Amino acid sequence: MAGIVMDVLRNPTKARHSDHFLGEFTRQFWTRALALSTPNAPCIQHFIDGFEEYTTAVAFEAEDRTNKSVRTVWEYLLLRRGTSSSKSIFALIEFGLDLPDYVLSHPIVSNLTTTAADLCAITNDLHSYSLEHARGLDGHNIITSIMSEHNLDLQSALDWLGSLMDGLVARFLSDMKRLPSWNETIDANLKLYIDSLGHWVRGNESWCYESKRYYGELGSHVRKTQLIQLRNP
């Protein structure tokens, strides 16, 4: 399935007749997405590269689940950046902005993108843990990695994770103040890109409460109390 999807992204005009439905799904999405950007814009290749990283990482995640492997926190976070599909998601923000590669690859801009990706992934792990625990799928979650590597109970692992997230937020806000300047157009589009990263982090947090995926009808209660009743397997 990954091969079919990646072939469509790399060769969107290629004639196809017997692909898996994901091929047609991807073709229609990609046709509309490409119409939002100029031909050969950097964001196109960024999305393709990011989605390939995602499909590869998901395969490793499936292998970890099958083998019941628990990674260290750092090893897990490196893989989670892929399974969260953050590179391809953030590439969509670039569509229409035409930000040059030399801007997006600048160390400060790159750090902001990575920090936003980590915050999104960690936030999702935090909110999904109870559900994954109940389903026996919590082996691939940063909270499990923290408990395993640092020999902590659940609440202590959550406190550890809270400190990590506080540090990431502080780093993101600090890097925002250190952005270099290129020219008026690039600076304005870069500001929109960085603001969008922040909105994505914040929107992801709200989605976890409001979508009913993790808390059912209790999302607003959990948001207010910050208390979660751990589900049993």
Side-chain angles (χ1 to χ4, degrees), residues 213-232:
R213 179 174 182 177
Y214 301 131
Y215 303 121
E217 301 295 336
L218 299 177
S220 60
H221 175 74
V222 173
R223 177 180 242 162
K224 180 179 179 180
T225 64
Q226 296 294 288
L227 296 174
I228 300 171
Q229 181 66 44
L230 187 64
R231 304 185 191 186
N232 294 318

Side-chain angles (χ1 to χ4, degrees), residues 64 69-83 114 117-119 121-122 125 138-153 156-165 168 171:
D64 282 356
S69 300
V70 176
R71 295 173 179 251
T72 66
V73 174
W74 179 242
E75 290 172 342
Y76 173 82
L77 194 54
L78 287 177
L79 181 63
R80 191 70 174 92
R81 289 171 183 170
T83 60
T114 300
D118 288 347
L119 283 168
I122 291 171
D125 278 16
D138 54 335
H140 192 78
N141 188 296
I142 195 170
I143 294 173
T144 300
S145 292
I146 293 170
M147 288 192 290
S148 175
E149 181 178 352
H150 298 289
N151 193 29
L152 297 174
D153 60 22
S156 298
L158 291 171
D159 294 339
W160 194 99
L161 182 61
S163 296
L164 173 63
M165 295 181 75
L168 290 172
R171 185 169 72 187

